[in-house]
Amino acid sequence: MTIEEYNECVKLYGDELYRFALRYTGYGAASEDAVQDVFVTLWEKRESVVTSGAMGYLMRLLYRRLVDTHRHKMVELGACKNLRPKQEEYEQHNDFELQDAMQKALNQLPEVQRQLILMKDLEGYEYKEMSDITGLTEQQVGVYLFRARKTMKKLLEDYRK
């Protein structure tokens, strides 16, 4: 990969990678850091990366980076679990609160299911693409998506009560 090809990858894929990371993390700074790390890795490995497969390579890197970051945060939160205040229940249901409920429901999903929901429903990836990125079979992708949607439905129904 040449410098020009690398720069073209940054221009073509930077925004899409950022949007994906932002939906996963919910924080702009964390998303920017993840995407920047992915592009640094691409630069370091540029000699072995084929330009035509760069997007898949970048998504796999980003996915793994986000999963690792999530696992690290879960370990930290486990140590501080008792220090967090309890959430108050909402009395009014408006769009902001529904969006908040959906984000909380997404956060309660196992990380693989959350990633697949984000890839399929928000980014529009096909099963084959998600399989390539995550390393799961297409059948596993379908099963995990089904379970994730079922869990989301139950969590959102519980929210409405």
Side-chain angles (χ1 to χ4, degrees):
M1 176 178 285
T2 65
I3 293 173
E4 292 80 19
E5 291 170 329
Y6 173 82
N7 288 335
E8 189 65 22
C9 284
V10 172
K11 287 178 190 174
L12 289 175
Y13 308 130
D15 288 340
E16 186 174 347
L17 293 170
Y18 175 75
R19 283 191 315 269
F20 180 79
L22 184 61
R23 288 186 179 121
Y24 183 79
T25 64
Y27 300 102
S31 302
E32 289 171 2
D33 290 345
V35 172
Q36 186 175 30
D37 287 347
V38 165
F39 279 117
V40 167
T41 303
L42 177 64
W43 177 254
E44 292 169 349
K45 309 265 184 186
R46 69 187 176 278
E47 299 297 326
S48 61
V49 176
V50 178
T51 305
S52 63
M55 181 56 178
Y57 179 73
L58 289 167
M59 279 301 294
R60 281 190 298 279
L61 286 176
L62 182 60
Y63 171 78
R64 291 179 183 143
R65 169 81 160 71
L66 293 172
V67 168
D68 289 345
T69 301
H70 175 74
R71 287 180 180 156
H72 181 71
K73 284 183 182 178
M74 294 310 290
V75 169
E76 287 178 353
L77 289 174
C80 300
K81 187 177 180 180
N82 296 328
L83 300 177
R84 299 172 76 201
K86 293 183 180 179
Q87 293 277 338
E88 295 179 13
E89 292 187 22
Y90 294 112
E91 295 179 4
Q92 298 177 348
H93 301 284
N94 62 28
D95 289 341
F96 176 75
E97 290 170 339
L98 180 58
Q99 184 178 9
D100 188 46
M102 290 185 71
Q103 185 64 47
K104 287 178 182 178
L106 267 174
N107 290 339
Q108 290 180 29
L109 292 176
E111 60 191 64
V112 172
Q113 291 180 8
R114 180 176 48 255
Q115 283 287 337
L116 292 174
I117 286 279
L118 292 172
M119 282 186 228
K120 180 67 176 164
D121 296 339
L122 298 177
E123 293 294 327
Y125 284 93
E126 299 297 324
Y127 281 38
K128 175 70 174 132
E129 295 171 308
M130 294 187 303
S131 174
D132 292 343
I133 292 167
T134 62
L136 299 170
T137 66
E138 287 183 54
Q139 185 177 11
Q140 288 173 314
V141 168
V143 169
Y144 284 134
L145 272 173
F146 173 78
R147 291 178 182 165
R149 289 179 176 139
K150 187 176 177 181
T151 303
M152 287 285 293
K153 181 179 177 181
K154 177 164 180 5
L155 291 169
L156 291 172
E157 284 173 354
D158 291 346
Y159 168 78
R160 290 181 184 175
K161 293 179 182 177

